[in-house]
Amino acid sequence: MRTEFSPEQLKDSKVAESEKILRKCVHCGFCTATCPTYVTLGNELDSPRGRIYLIKDMLENSRPADEKTVKHLDRCLSCLACTTTCPSGVDYMHLIDNARVYIEKTYDRPFADRFVRSLLANILPYPKRFRLALRFAQIGRPFAPLFKRVNALKPMGAMLELAPHSIPTDRSSALPGTRKVDGAKRARVAILSGCAQPVLNPAINAATMDLLNRFHVEVVIPEGEVCCGALTHHMGREEAALQSARQNVDVWTKQVDEGGLDAIIITASGCGTTIKDYGYMLADDKDYADKAKRVSELAKDITEFLVTLDLPEKTREKELIVTYHSACSMQHGQKITNAPKDLLRNAGFKVREPAESHLCCGSAGTYNILQSEIADKLKTRKVDNLERTKPHLIAAGNIGCITQIGSGTEIPIVHTIELLNWAYGGTKPKDVPAELS
């Protein structure tokens, strides 16, 4: 793609970075076939190619973002299916990230939109606040349909509908400390506690630590960990995201320096994609560039790490069919496609895959709140494809997907690691019916 940025414009590192990305696009349109919003809405401006044109026009002319541009860029899920499809290697992830920061700086959103975004940014990354908010949401749930009738209040209605009917009380899996092993230590890892996941389903990290300990891996939950920054990052709130990244880099670097780490384990693939990008996000920060790069290199999805342990093959007396949902952040963001399925098969489960597995379920961080109508269409499509495989269970590696899909089907959906922990001697996941034991 031909660009016409001036030398003065290119002095801005974000603009210079965006210009390099734009020039790689050859307008081929392959991305449109795998873009969930284009497939759903059929509007060229709701495809990666269309959004690239909007970003190019906005940045080249150094003009503030306008309502039209914001509308179509806000509809992007950041699922990154386009990056998997693109034959030219367009780095769409960093292009849309840069555009969102630019929008945040130059566009005055309507009050209701600003309010909801501020609410999300100041509640979801903080477990205590999030837990309290969920308690209020349980009281407000009956009013969700009323909120959804008013366009400006639809996000509030979506939030109320997504809130769980019950909130787990066990917080032990997020408490700082070291889970030591009996006998010889095979490896030492840190684990990200996260922000939403320990509130919605603390059993995920509990199962992870149990399984790792069983295979002689020491697990550290460091003091001072915070949200990975993904939520604020995708909302264009750059400084808040970078501050979270810096704090986590400091926390994990201290562990590396004091006791050594073989990996930083992440059990929510959306967080993993962001943490693996810390080196890129902080590349211009001379105090953090090297440390952030080291953290990104240590970051591993739990399934990435487990395949290195060579777990023994297991068999099950009763056949259990598991349909695996590959989160976008897993298959497109981190390019992890086979490890989760191979681990499940090796553990004795019969694994199936749904049609259109490349398409997003509509969760995408806060997307199912801010763009609930599109998210609901994507959820329906995803659930239909999953249910057609007729599984006993659905497995996924991202808490957002688990929440989104779980709200649309009666088939139990559990985290991949919960099934693996169960297969290798751990407790049965609470969402697995007794008759499937």
Side-chain angles (χ1 to χ4, degrees):
M1 178 180 286
R2 180 180 176 181
T3 61
E4 295 181 353
F5 290 92
S6 69
E8 189 65 27
Q9 287 176 306
L10 294 175
K11 288 180 181 179
D12 184 316
S13 62
K14 294 292 184 185
V15 173
E17 176 186 38
S18 297
E19 191 264 352
K20 289 178 182 176
I21 298 169
L22 288 167
R23 288 176 66 85
K24 281 194 171 185
C25 179
V26 297
H27 327 273
C28 68
F30 282 16
C31 57
T32 61
T34 58
C35 173
T37 50
Y38 181 74
V39 169
T40 302
L41 303 173
N43 187 334
E44 173 73 15
L45 294 180
D46 290 316
S47 73
R49 182 170 63 181
R51 293 185 181 110
I52 284 172
Y53 277 112
L54 290 172
I55 295 169
K56 176 179 180 290
D57 179 64
M58 177 176 67
L59 296 182
E60 268 189 346
N61 292 292
S62 297
R63 62 168 177 79
D66 58 24
E67 184 179 355
K68 175 184 174 183
T69 300
V70 172
K71 172 185 174 181
H72 294 292
L73 296 193
D74 278 355
R75 285 179 175 175
C76 175
L77 294 132
S78 281
C79 70
L80 306 180
C82 55
T83 63
T84 298
T85 308
C86 180
S88 302
V90 175
D91 184 4
Y92 182 81
M93 180 174 82
H94 292 117
L95 181 65
I96 192 71
D97 286 346
N98 288 347
R100 286 184 168 134
V101 172
Y102 189 88
I103 287 170
E104 187 70 12
K105 291 177 179 177
T106 65
Y107 183 66
D108 186 20
R109 293 181 180 275
F111 172 76
D113 193 15
R114 291 202 311 273
F115 174 75
V116 171
R117 287 170 176 269
S118 180
L119 197 67
L120 293 171
N122 286 286
I123 290 179
L124 290 185
Y126 306 93
K128 289 181 181 178
R129 298 179 197 175
F130 184 38
R131 187 175 284 106
L132 182 62
L134 289 180
R135 298 199 185 282
F136 283 112
Q138 290 176 321
I139 299 170
R141 184 191 300 278
F143 301 101
L146 296 176
F147 280 112
K148 296 195 85 172
R149 289 179 191 172
V150 182
N151 195 51
L153 298 178
K154 280 181 180 178
M156 302 297 291
M159 273 192 274
L160 292 173
E161 286 183 343
L162 285 166
H165 292 277
S166 62
I167 306 167
T169 57
D170 182 19
R171 306 181 191 182
S172 59
S173 64
L175 295 176
T178 300
R179 294 279 295 267
K180 295 185 178 295
V181 299
D182 296 326
K185 182 171 65 178
R186 194 169 178 179
R188 182 177 188 264
V189 302
I191 188 169
L192 173 72
S193 293
C195 49
Q197 183 170 283
V199 177
L200 294 171
N201 192 349
I204 293 172
N205 270 14
T208 303
M209 291 187 286
D210 286 348
L211 180 61
L212 289 173
N213 276 176
R214 210 171 297 122
F215 286 93
H216 299 281
V217 177
E218 182 176 285
V219 184
V220 181
I221 307 172
E223 183 85 46
E225 270 186 357
V226 295
C227 169
C228 69
L231 186 142
T232 49
H233 183 57
H234 294 309
M235 293 172 72
R237 299 184 174 221
E238 182 181 36
E239 194 44 53
L242 293 180
Q243 187 54 43
S244 294
R246 291 187 187 101
Q247 184 164 337
N248 283 331
V249 166
D250 283 338
V251 166
W252 290 323
T253 297
K254 182 180 178 183
Q255 289 295 325
V256 171
D257 292 343
E258 291 182 354
L261 288 178
D262 295 291
I264 298 166
I265 300 298
I266 301 141
T267 54
S269 61
C271 302
T273 301
T274 297
I275 294 169
K276 288 182 178 182
D277 203 41
Y278 277 4
Y280 189 95
M281 291 165 63
L282 293 169
D284 293 334
D285 187 328
K286 60 181 178 61
D287 294 326
Y288 280 87
D290 291 340
K291 293 188 292 184
K293 183 174 181 289
R294 180 164 54 165
V295 163
S296 290
E297 290 169 349
L298 282 171
K300 295 282 183 292
D301 182 78
I302 179 59
T303 57
E304 275 185 295
F305 184 75
L306 288 178
V307 294
T308 69
L309 298 183
D310 195 24
L311 303 184
E313 187 174 346
K314 302 283 284 186
T315 57
R316 290 185 58 85
E317 291 183 12
K318 182 186 291 186
E319 183 180 73
L320 199 55
I321 300 170
V322 176
T323 295
Y324 175 70
H325 162 73
S326 185
C328 297
S329 46
M330 187 81 84
Q331 62 173 314
H332 304 307
Q334 300 184 57
K335 310 301 181 191
I336 301 170
T337 55
N338 293 323
K341 293 176 289 188
D342 291 344
L343 286 165
L344 287 169
R345 290 190 186 101
N346 193 61
F349 299 103
K350 183 174 182 179
V351 179
R352 291 178 179 171
E353 296 179 65
E356 298 183 323
S357 60
H358 62 283
L359 287 182
C360 184
C361 68
S363 173
T366 58
Y367 192 92
N368 53 0
I369 295 171
L370 297 172
Q371 301 285 338
S372 59
E373 289 185 0
I374 301 172
D376 284 346
K377 290 178 181 177
L378 290 169
K379 175 174 70 176
T380 299
R381 187 168 183 157
K382 177 63 69 176
V383 167
D384 286 347
N385 282 323
L386 288 166
E387 290 182 344
R388 283 195 191 102
T389 65
K390 301 187 184 306
H392 295 114
L393 301 168
I394 299 168
N398 189 53
I399 187 64
C401 302
I402 291 170
T403 303
Q404 173 79 344
I405 295 169
S407 69
T409 183
E410 295 300 315
I411 299 172
I413 177 167
V414 296
H415 197 289
T416 307
I417 192 63
E418 292 183 277
L419 291 178
L420 293 174
N421 181 51
W422 179 33
Y424 289 101
T427 57
K428 178 177 71 66
K430 64 178 178 60
D431 293 320
V432 175
E435 62 267 23
L436 296 181
S437 297

